[in-house]
Amino acid sequence: MVVERVGDALVAVDGRRFDAATAAHLPPSEPSKILAVHLNYRSRVEEFRTRLPAAPTYFQKPTTALNSHLGEVVRPIGCKYLNFEGEIAIVIGKTCKDISPGEAKAHIAGYTIANDFGLHDFRDTDAGSMLRVKGSDTLCPLGPGLVDDWDFRDKGIRTLVNNEVRQEASTSEMEWDMAYLVADLARTITLLPGDVILSGTPAGSRPVEPGDVVTIEVEGLGALTNNIVDGTAVRRDIGAQPTESEEVVSTAFGGDWEFRGIRAPVASRHYEAEDES
């Protein structure tokens, strides 16, 4: 059911009203694909002590990763490094291919909040694809709603874990804005109504635990909240298993690495994160 938020109520087209705090939410889009930029925010680049590429690079999350406002995010038993990543999602409104950045606005339905969770325990086994790291079930919450008249320039974004601020930045940090990302992807990929583009995360992404509550607030878009829960154990009789390599741990802890509880010396903390968002 499509509803419009009016104060603390959700109002359906037939006039029925629901309490926004207790309603069962769905993702505000039904995409054919979810595309995500790797690095985009200046603070994230500095955190990883790396450099931005000459142009954006991307990965894809399967649509089965979709989750919603107030939905449960699953960390499988046996995994340790489930990281939040507060982001802004672009939702396509009109089919587009081979457009300029100036034409992109006419093809955007609106914007919503995303949490681009990453299960870094699978970073080694994914061999750079990010498929299980970013594409496992429940790892793409979107919501709470779609805002169609939002100006993305100079807007605040922050992530809170159990009401403590863990990420805080402004969209002014972004190297490539929303229109650029849409036009860049549409050069070779036809974007369809409902498709979602995740625009990157600032510094501060860190692991969370079952029982934690993660909220992302974006100025003008509201707040997206999710609960972290235990899942079932990953099957051990097939496939590569979760790992705890230096790359896994260092990526999970960004520029503030700790290995087995011992802080790494500054001289050895350089890490090139080629495919981190």
Side-chain angles (χ1 to χ4, degrees):
M1 179 187 300
V2 177
V3 296
E4 181 179 358
R5 179 148 189 165
V6 179
D8 292 329
L10 301 175
V11 182
V13 292
D14 60 6
R16 285 181 293 167
R17 300 174 71 88
F18 307 89
D19 181 359
T22 58
H25 291 258
L26 295 173
S29 178
E30 296 183 63
S32 71
K33 48 192 170 290
I34 304 165
L35 308 174
V37 67
H38 287 128
L39 286 168
N40 197 6
Y41 279 76
R42 187 179 313 114
S43 61
R44 187 68 161 161
V45 174
E46 293 170 353
E47 179 179 42
F48 277 95
R49 302 190 180 191
T50 187
R51 294 183 298 276
L52 280 168
T57 61
Y58 304 92
F59 61 93
Q60 186 169 358
K61 294 171 82 93
T63 57
T64 47
L66 278 173
N67 203 339
S68 61
H69 176 53
L70 303 180
E72 294 182 337
V73 175
V74 175
R75 191 186 76 173
I77 293 173
C79 293
K80 298 181 179 180
Y81 303 109
L82 174 66
N83 279 49
F84 59 81
E85 291 187 13
E87 306 205 10
I88 296 161
I90 307 156
V91 179
I92 300 299
K94 186 168 67 174
T95 299
C96 60
K97 175 74 181 293
D98 194 23
I99 61 171
S100 70
E103 296 171 307
K105 182 177 180 180
H107 296 81
I108 295 173
Y111 301 88
T112 190
I113 305 171
N115 198 330
D116 181 21
F117 278 100
L119 193 61
H120 291 291
D121 308 72
F122 283 105
R123 195 172 186 87
D124 294 327
T125 61
D126 270 358
S129 75
M130 303 285 278
L131 179 61
R132 282 167 288 195
V133 171
K134 291 302 186 76
S136 295
D137 290 354
T138 75
L139 298 192
C140 190
L142 298 177
L146 184 69
V147 179
D148 60 7
D149 59 352
W150 188 68
D151 183 347
F152 58 74
R153 292 171 293 188
D154 301 319
K155 294 298 190 294
I157 176 172
R158 67 177 190 167
T159 302
L160 300 91
V161 178
N162 303 327
N163 294 317
E164 294 183 4
V165 176
R166 300 293 181 86
Q167 290 181 295
E168 189 160 23
S170 166
T171 57
S172 61
E173 276 193 34
M174 297 172 70
E175 178 70 15
W176 300 290
D177 68 19
M178 313 301 185
Y180 187 100
L181 297 176
V182 171
D184 184 29
L185 285 165
R187 291 185 303 155
T188 59
I189 299 172
T190 298
L191 301 177
L192 302 175
D195 283 351
V196 169
I197 300 171
L198 307 185
S199 60
T201 195
S205 166
R206 295 294 186 270
V208 284
E209 304 281 338
D212 287 341
V213 179
V214 184
T215 297
I216 302 164
E217 299 175 345
V218 178
E219 184 180 353
L221 296 183
L224 169 69
T225 296
N226 295 98
N227 303 308
I228 312 302
V229 300
D230 270 321
T232 57
V234 175
R235 289 187 68 108
R236 302 191 64 85
D237 57 342
I238 53 173
Q241 298 301 306
T243 57
E244 198 171 3
S245 69
E246 180 175 317
E247 180 178 0
V248 167
V249 177
S250 63
T251 303
F253 287 94
D256 188 21
W257 309 343
E258 294 184 13
F259 300 102
R260 294 186 173 85
I262 302 173
R263 184 174 299 278
V266 172
S268 66
R269 289 170 63 184
H270 179 76
Y271 177 66
E272 294 291 336
E274 296 177 352
D275 53 6
E276 180 55 24
S277 59

mmCIF file of all heavy atoms in Angstrom, residues 74-79 229-235:
data_model
loop_
_atom_site.group_PDB
_atom_site.id
_atom_site.type_symbol
_atom_site.label_atom_id
_atom_site.label_comp_id
_atom_site.label_asym_id
_atom_site.label_seq_id
_atom_site.Cartn_x
_atom_site.Cartn_y
_atom_site.Cartn_z
ATOM 1 N N VAL A 74 20.241 -9.370 9.758
ATOM 2 C CA VAL A 74 20.728 -10.639 10.288
ATOM 3 C C VAL A 74 22.251 -10.744 10.181
ATOM 4 O O VAL A 74 22.825 -10.565 9.105
ATOM 5 C CB VAL A 74 20.083 -11.816 9.529
ATOM 6 C CG1 VAL A 74 20.676 -13.146 10.001
ATOM 7 C CG2 VAL A 74 18.566 -11.797 9.714
ATOM 8 N N ARG A 75 22.886 -11.033 11.320
ATOM 9 C CA ARG A 75 24.295 -11.414 11.325
ATOM 10 C C ARG A 75 24.369 -12.919 11.582
ATOM 11 O O ARG A 75 24.030 -13.373 12.677
ATOM 12 C CB ARG A 75 25.079 -10.672 12.411
ATOM 13 C CG ARG A 75 26.595 -10.855 12.253
ATOM 14 C CD ARG A 75 27.365 -10.254 13.405
ATOM 15 N NE ARG A 75 27.287 -11.109 14.602
ATOM 16 C CZ ARG A 75 27.986 -10.896 15.722
ATOM 17 N NH1 ARG A 75 28.804 -9.859 15.795
ATOM 18 N NH2 ARG A 75 27.854 -11.704 16.755
ATOM 19 N N PRO A 76 24.796 -13.710 10.579
ATOM 20 C CA PRO A 76 24.842 -15.160 10.775
ATOM 21 C C PRO A 76 25.735 -15.551 11.949
ATOM 22 O O PRO A 76 26.770 -14.911 12.188
ATOM 23 C CB PRO A 76 25.418 -15.672 9.451
ATOM 24 C CG PRO A 76 25.123 -14.596 8.457
ATOM 25 C CD PRO A 76 25.210 -13.309 9.229
ATOM 26 N N ILE A 77 25.354 -16.571 12.668
ATOM 27 C CA ILE A 77 26.201 -17.099 13.731
ATOM 28 C C ILE A 77 27.527 -17.547 13.110
ATOM 29 O O ILE A 77 27.557 -18.187 12.069
ATOM 30 C CB ILE A 77 25.507 -18.277 14.430
ATOM 31 C CG1 ILE A 77 24.278 -17.770 15.193
ATOM 32 C CG2 ILE A 77 26.456 -18.988 15.383
ATOM 33 C CD1 ILE A 77 23.428 -18.875 15.791
ATOM 34 N N GLY A 78 28.616 -17.187 13.758
ATOM 35 C CA GLY A 78 29.945 -17.480 13.218
ATOM 36 C C GLY A 78 30.573 -16.321 12.503
ATOM 37 O O GLY A 78 31.760 -16.358 12.161
ATOM 38 N N CYS A 79 29.804 -15.253 12.278
ATOM 39 C CA CYS A 79 30.346 -14.031 11.666
ATOM 40 C C CYS A 79 30.508 -12.957 12.740
ATOM 41 O O CYS A 79 29.753 -12.910 13.707
ATOM 42 C CB CYS A 79 29.421 -13.533 10.564
ATOM 43 S SG CYS A 79 29.330 -14.632 9.122
ATOM 44 N N VAL A 229 20.117 -8.709 14.578
ATOM 45 C CA VAL A 229 19.738 -9.956 15.237
ATOM 46 C C VAL A 229 20.676 -11.079 14.797
ATOM 47 O O VAL A 229 21.330 -11.001 13.763
ATOM 48 C CB VAL A 229 18.275 -10.349 14.917
ATOM 49 C CG1 VAL A 229 17.310 -9.273 15.387
ATOM 50 C CG2 VAL A 229 18.094 -10.633 13.425
ATOM 51 N N ASP A 230 20.715 -12.137 15.605
ATOM 52 C CA ASP A 230 21.447 -13.351 15.238
ATOM 53 C C ASP A 230 20.688 -14.111 14.165
ATOM 54 O O ASP A 230 19.450 -14.180 14.193
ATOM 55 C CB ASP A 230 21.587 -14.280 16.453
ATOM 56 C CG ASP A 230 22.854 -14.016 17.252
ATOM 57 O OD1 ASP A 230 23.903 -13.758 16.630
ATOM 58 O OD2 ASP A 230 22.783 -14.069 18.492
ATOM 59 N N GLY A 231 21.424 -14.699 13.228
ATOM 60 C CA GLY A 231 20.824 -15.595 12.258
ATOM 61 C C GLY A 231 21.276 -17.010 12.520
ATOM 62 O O GLY A 231 21.884 -17.308 13.545
ATOM 63 N N THR A 232 20.980 -17.889 11.589
ATOM 64 C CA THR A 232 21.473 -19.251 11.696
ATOM 65 C C THR A 232 22.943 -19.285 11.286
ATOM 66 O O THR A 232 23.446 -18.362 10.646
ATOM 67 C CB THR A 232 20.669 -20.191 10.800
ATOM 68 O OG1 THR A 232 20.733 -19.715 9.448
ATOM 69 C CG2 THR A 232 19.213 -20.244 11.244
ATOM 70 N N ALA A 233 23.613 -20.343 11.637
ATOM 71 C CA ALA A 233 25.026 -20.483 11.274
ATOM 72 C C ALA A 233 25.159 -20.746 9.776
ATOM 73 O O ALA A 233 24.295 -21.374 9.160
ATOM 74 C CB ALA A 233 25.654 -21.630 12.062
ATOM 75 N N VAL A 234 26.226 -20.241 9.195
ATOM 76 C CA VAL A 234 26.533 -20.524 7.801
ATOM 77 C C VAL A 234 26.904 -21.999 7.678
ATOM 78 O O VAL A 234 27.691 -22.527 8.477
ATOM 79 C CB VAL A 234 27.705 -19.634 7.320
ATOM 80 C CG1 VAL A 234 28.115 -19.997 5.902
ATOM 81 C CG2 VAL A 234 27.314 -18.170 7.404
ATOM 82 N N ARG A 235 26.347 -22.662 6.684
ATOM 83 C CA ARG A 235 26.669 -24.087 6.497
ATOM 84 C C ARG A 235 28.167 -24.283 6.359
ATOM 85 O O ARG A 235 28.849 -23.546 5.648
ATOM 86 C CB ARG A 235 25.987 -24.621 5.241
ATOM 87 C CG ARG A 235 24.487 -24.772 5.339
ATOM 88 C CD ARG A 235 23.966 -25.472 4.085
ATOM 89 N NE ARG A 235 24.411 -26.859 4.048
ATOM 90 C CZ ARG A 235 23.616 -27.904 4.254
ATOM 91 N NH1 ARG A 235 22.340 -27.715 4.538
ATOM 92 N NH2 ARG A 235 24.091 -29.132 4.188
#
